[in-house]
Amino acid sequence: MASAQNHGTATYYTPPYIPSACYGFADQGVMIAAASEAIWNGGGACGQGTPNPCQGSSSVVVKIVDLCPAGSCRGTIDLSQEAFASIADTACGVINISYQ
């Protein structure tokens, strides 16, 4: 059964990636993301993931580790710089995505 696709935008943030709202000072690697209020779910998004932002046939699997707070969040999901760079040129800054 196929999962429902959601649409939004992805931006990226740069290190340091800790502390995070979900894991404090525990390092979760670099394939991570911060969820906007739209998908944060009061912290329910912590550890969830596998948003699959796509550009053409590219995709990336990330783990939600943080909140991208309203007012400063520029996208639906704020990827680590490494995760963003794996699917798009960071010079773009913002890309359209589909995620699940």
Side-chain angles (χ1 to χ4, degrees):
M1 176 184 220
S3 298
Q5 291 287 313
N6 296 296
H7 302 281
T9 57
T11 55
Y12 72 92
Y13 62 113
T14 58
Y17 299 130
I18 54 176
S20 70
C22 299
Y23 298 98
F25 286 92
D27 187 358
Q28 298 299 305
V30 297
M31 299 311 277
I32 56 173
S36 67
E37 294 283 354
I39 58 177
W40 179 245
N41 191 26
C46 286
Q48 299 300 307
T50 70
N52 295 302
C54 298
Q55 179 179 348
S57 60
S58 297
S59 67
V60 65
V61 176
V62 295
K63 181 179 188 178
I64 301 296
V65 300
D66 216 343
L67 168 65
C68 185
S72 64
C73 198
R74 301 176 302 128
T76 307
I77 190 164
D78 203 18
L79 300 168
S80 67
Q81 183 175 6
E82 294 83 355
F84 190 98
S86 75
I87 57 170
D89 185 338
T90 56
C92 295
V94 179
I95 57 171
N96 292 323
I97 58 167
S98 295
Y99 65 94
Q100 55 191 56

